[in-house]
Each structure stands twice: as C-alpha cells, then as structure tokens.
Amino acid sequence: MSGLRRVMVANRGEIAVRIIRACHVAGVEAVAVYSDADEHSKWVRMADDAVHIGRSAAQKSYLDPDALLKAARATEVDAVHPGYGFLSESGAFARAIDEAGLVFIGPRPAVLEQMGDKAAARSAAASAGVPVVPGTDPIEDPADVPRLAAEIGFPLLLKAAAGGGGRGIRPVHDLDGLLDALPAAQAEARSAFGDPAVYLERAVANARHVEVQVLADDHGNVVHLFERDCSVQRRRQKLIEEAPAPALEEETRQAITAAAVRLAEHVGYRGAGTVEFLVDGDGNFYFIEMNARVQVEHPITEAITGVDIVAEQLRIAAGEALSMDQASIERRGAAVELRINAEDPERDFAPAPGEITVLRLPGGPGVRIDTGISQGDRISPFYDSLIAKLICWGEDRDQAYARARQALTEFHVEGVASTAALHRELINDPELAAGPVHTMWLEHHLNTGR
C-alpha cells in the first residue's frame, strides 16, 4: 500500500489480531505492543515485530501514551492504529502522534475531542440537522436543575459529558432522585473520565439502539455502510448485534443513514466511525453519540456489504481515496454477532479470569470467529474478558440465526466460566427471533428468569 510501510497496533486482543491481518493483506508490516500479562499472546506471535510497553495494569501499558510513543519511535513505524477502547478516542494521544510526525489512523484530534464531549457532539448533530434527544448543556449551576428537568420531563438520564461505551449514565425518575444523584454522578464522572461535567437527557422509553457505520477520506468522500441493531444489552454493554436492523422501515433506514453521513460531513470526519441513535416505536430517531473509531461489531457490517473496514482505514491513513462510492455499496443478507465473554452469568456476570484449557471453535459456511485467544492462553484479570466474537451470515435473518444456533453447539470452552450458554438460550428465544427488541429487553429477560 503506497504511503504506509509499517504500522504499530496500539492495542491488544482480538482487535490487534484483526488489524495485523489487515496490514499483512495490504502488504504492510505490523508491530505489536504488549504488557507483562500479554507477553506470549497470539497477536505478539503474529506481528512482524513486538515491543514490551509496561506492566500488566492498563494504566501502566496500553493507557500510557508515553510508552506507546516510545515504542512507535523505536520501531520506526509510519502510523499508529489504536483499535477500539484504551486511547482510541483520545484527542491528546492523536495529537501527540501527529506531532511525532506519524499518522494516527483515525479522526483528527479536534474531531476526537468534539465527538468525545457528549454535549459538544449533541450540539454538532443539531447544527447538522440531525435529530437529538431533548436535553441540556453541561450543568453549571445545580440551582438550575429543577427548571431544566421540568422543561425536559421525567424520566431522565443523567449523563457524563465525557462518558462513552455505556458508562457514566444514571436513570432518574423524579426530582428528588435527580438531586440526590447529581453529586455522586459528578464525582463518578471526574473519577472515570477526568471531567465532572454532566448533563440531562430525556429517557426514550422502549427504544432500540441503532447505529450507522460511516467511512470518510481526505478527498471529500463520505459513505455509509447501512445500519446495525445493538439493542440486546446488559447495563448498556452490548451482547448481541445484528445487521441490518430488523423490521426497520425503509423510509427510516434512508433517513437515519443520511443523517449519519450529514453529521460526518459537518464535522469534517476522517476514517471509520459509528453514529449511534435511539429509535422509538413510531420510527422517530435521535442522535446519542458518535464512536470515533472502529467498533467491536464491525464484522457484521463487513459480512453484509463485503467491505473490509480495517483495510479502508489503512487506505485512508495512506492518503488514498475510499475504494468505493455510495452507489457501489450493496447490502446482501443478514448477519449476527455474539460476544462470548469469560464471565459467569450465575454470579451476576462476574469476570472469570484463568487459563483456557480447552477451546474448540465452530466453522462452516457463513461462520467467522474473531479472537485473540488460543487454547492454553489465559484470560487476564486486567482487561476486557472477551474470549471470542462469533459472527454468522445468512441469505436472510432466519438463516443467520440458524447458523448461529449451530455454531454455538460447536463452540466449547473449558477452564473459565463463559457466556456461551446464555447465548445459546438467547439465540433460541422466540421474542428475539421475532425481533426487534428494545434496549431493556435483556434486563427484563434476566430479571424474570425467562
């Protein structure tokens, strides 16, 4: 690939494996980084070079920008791919990469900062003519809270302005509850995100979580790759995603994808990103945030469009134009992704670190497994507990689900507790199969023991 010779992957796990593979297919060398806990990991074995960046705790390794910059300089890379999580949406890290004369594979620092501030992102969406959930700017004076809450109406969400990934959100149902929650929410926001700012947003009842994948280059091209439904969530963490969103009216699909492209154009976006919306029962949709990075669930979009999203990220970083235009992107079939984690559903999804003593993975037509784990590896207590992503494609949604059911019968892991059994239960649930479900469906399912 012209313009890129060597890329450092500033991440770990399955996304590091995914990026290394894309680099090699593109003829680009890949440099891995690893902490003490990850010295013998799959992505380290796959990479052309690997650099130790610190201790096992993420703050001492994958979240240490100085260590990552030192590794990038030492290995003489052209670019840094941050994957998702960790520093992938840090404007400061992106700026440091730019100032080091390297390419940050993602949006420009100013856009990361704008999209990372939820209030600023809402303002940008509104300016672009994208519907937003009724809400407020960051609260400056607690005395204004009763008036602001009355203007929006309960129930409300109290949200951290710098939050993301479903974190920093508290539902409140009345004024007393809101006033009680405000100081704790501000303290939590400061602790988790380094910013105590919070704002209010109306809670949309029985909403679906629908997101649109976009790609944008430096040549003025912005396209969408259709939408995904991510409504099967527990505590706002996604477990199952599918593309396209089931039972979404075509008029709504066209409107929501156009809105996502409009926002990306408005902010001068570059790279891969996802614009996330809530969709109510009447088909009204509202912007909630933009994830300015590759998403965990990107494979299902690749499955229905045939577009290699990570390869496009590399093209964009190399200064090239997208390999497609909107008219050439076709949607075919349906796909579902199941996130299988080392967690124990019987113990309130407590993480279950330990050695993977047995790992048997499924196969067959339309079945893809993305994982950073091999048999004999350990699930570390220091990081996300993802074992594997199971992605199943079919000519239609029924076939995709049927392939997922079969694949789950073949998936076998020993040594740690996992959510595989829960996924077997969910993928056979008649309500989910009928679709669509709302974002609180799984919570209800778990609480009622269905």
Side-chain angles (χ1 to χ4, degrees):
M1 177 176 291
S2 63
L4 284 186
R5 175 188 57 87
R6 193 167 165 89
V7 170
M8 188 180 87
V9 183
N11 215 299
R12 66 177 303 280
E14 67 86 16
I15 192 60
V17 170
R18 171 73 180 90
I19 296 166
I20 291 168
R21 284 174 172 157
C23 286
H24 287 166
V25 170
V28 176
E29 292 183 355
V31 175
V33 297
Y34 63 92
S35 68
D36 287 349
D38 289 334
E39 181 178 2
H40 303 291
S41 61
K42 181 176 182 176
W43 62 95
V44 170
R45 297 193 297 268
M46 291 176 61
D48 300 284
D49 197 359
V51 183
H52 176 253
I53 54 169
R55 297 167 62 182
S56 298
Q59 292 287 350
K60 301 293 185 180
S61 51
Y62 301 103
L63 284 171
D64 184 343
D66 292 335
L68 292 167
L69 275 167
K70 181 179 178 181
R73 292 190 183 100
T75 53
E76 299 181 334
V77 298
D78 314 302
V80 175
H81 196 311
Y84 55 71
F86 292 136
L87 296 174
S88 63
E89 294 181 275
S90 168
F93 181 57
R95 185 169 286 105
I97 294 296
D98 287 352
E99 291 173 352
L102 306 176
V103 177
F104 180 80
I105 301 182
R108 295 173 181 83
V111 174
L112 281 171
E113 289 163 354
Q114 182 181 30
M115 293 297 100
D117 182 319
K118 297 302 178 281
R122 279 173 51 87
S123 178
S127 297
V130 177
V132 298
V133 181
T136 70
D137 292 329
I139 297 168
E140 296 182 358
D141 186 350
D144 293 334
V145 167
R147 174 182 59 81
L148 294 171
E151 291 174 355
I152 301 170
F154 289 96
L156 291 169
L157 297 176
L158 184 58
K159 305 182 76 171
R167 298 174 63 203
I169 302 174
R170 292 177 175 231
V172 289
H173 301 280
D174 54 42
L175 184 58
D176 288 342
L178 174 57
L179 295 175
D180 287 344
L182 183 60
Q186 291 171 321
E188 180 185 29
R190 182 188 298 277
S191 173
F193 308 110
D195 183 351
V198 295
Y199 66 98
L200 300 178
E201 189 175 272
R202 179 184 296 165
V204 181
N206 297 326
R208 300 169 63 184
H209 185 143
V210 177
E211 60 188 28
V212 178
Q213 176 73 60
V214 296
L215 289 169
D217 61 26
D218 282 324
H219 301 272
N221 303 305
V222 182
V223 300
H224 71 80
L225 302 180
F226 301 101
E227 82 291 345
R228 303 183 285 254
D229 190 306
C230 306
S231 300
V232 182
Q233 305 177 7
R234 175 184 172 273
R235 296 178 182 171
R236 298 185 175 84
Q237 299 298 307
K238 303 165 185 173
L239 270 74
I240 299 176
E241 303 99 353
E242 55 183 296
L248 192 69
E249 295 290 338
E250 187 58 32
E251 181 179 357
T252 303
R253 174 173 288 112
Q254 292 181 14
I256 203 169
T257 52
V261 169
R262 198 159 62 245
L263 176 59
E265 291 174 336
H266 179 74
V267 301
Y269 199 79
R270 179 187 68 192
T274 303
V275 186
E276 306 206 352
F277 299 91
L278 293 177
V279 180
D280 68 19
D282 297 322
N284 302 307
F285 62 88
Y286 306 96
F287 169 83
I288 48 175
E289 65 178 341
M290 184 173 192
N291 286 310
R293 52 175 167 77
V294 68
Q295 288 278 88
V296 179
E297 57 270 23
H298 76 274
I300 52 174
T301 293
E302 294 180 329
I304 68 165
T305 63
V307 174
D308 185 328
I309 291 171
V310 179
E312 292 301 317
Q313 288 185 293
L314 297 176
R315 288 180 62 90
I316 294 163
E320 300 177 18
L322 294 173
S323 66
M324 83 295 288
D325 59 18
Q326 193 66 63
S328 67
I329 302 169
E330 296 182 357
R331 190 184 76 214
R332 177 171 174 260
V336 59
E337 176 178 297
L338 314 175
R339 300 190 194 186
I340 301 176
N341 296 322
E343 297 173 349
D344 188 349
E346 300 300 320
R347 298 174 52 239
D348 195 28
F349 292 82
E355 181 182 348
I356 302 288
T357 57
V358 176
L359 182 62
R360 294 199 294 270
L361 301 176
V367 176
R368 166 178 167 180
I369 292 284
D370 280 18
T371 182
I373 298 292
S374 300
Q375 185 168 298
D377 289 349
R378 295 189 65 84
I379 299 293
S380 170
F382 296 100
Y383 316 114
D384 182 87
S385 62
L386 182 68
I387 298 173
K389 300 184 314 194
L390 171 60
I391 303 104
C392 296
W393 176 88
E395 291 286 354
D396 55 27
R397 187 170 182 260
D398 287 345
Q399 187 181 58
Y401 267 56
R403 285 175 169 170
R405 293 185 190 101
Q406 174 59 30
L408 282 167
T409 68
E410 299 176 33
F411 185 95
H412 186 70
V413 60
E414 292 181 12
V416 299
S418 83
T419 56
L422 174 63
H423 279 296
R424 294 185 190 102
E425 175 187 330
L426 295 177
I427 204 70
N428 285 288
D429 188 278
E431 286 187 2
L432 182 61
V437 298
H438 56 75
T439 56
M440 295 305 296
W441 175 81
L442 180 58
E443 299 279 3
H444 175 76
H445 178 100
L446 296 172
N447 291 336
T448 58
R450 290 190 58 252

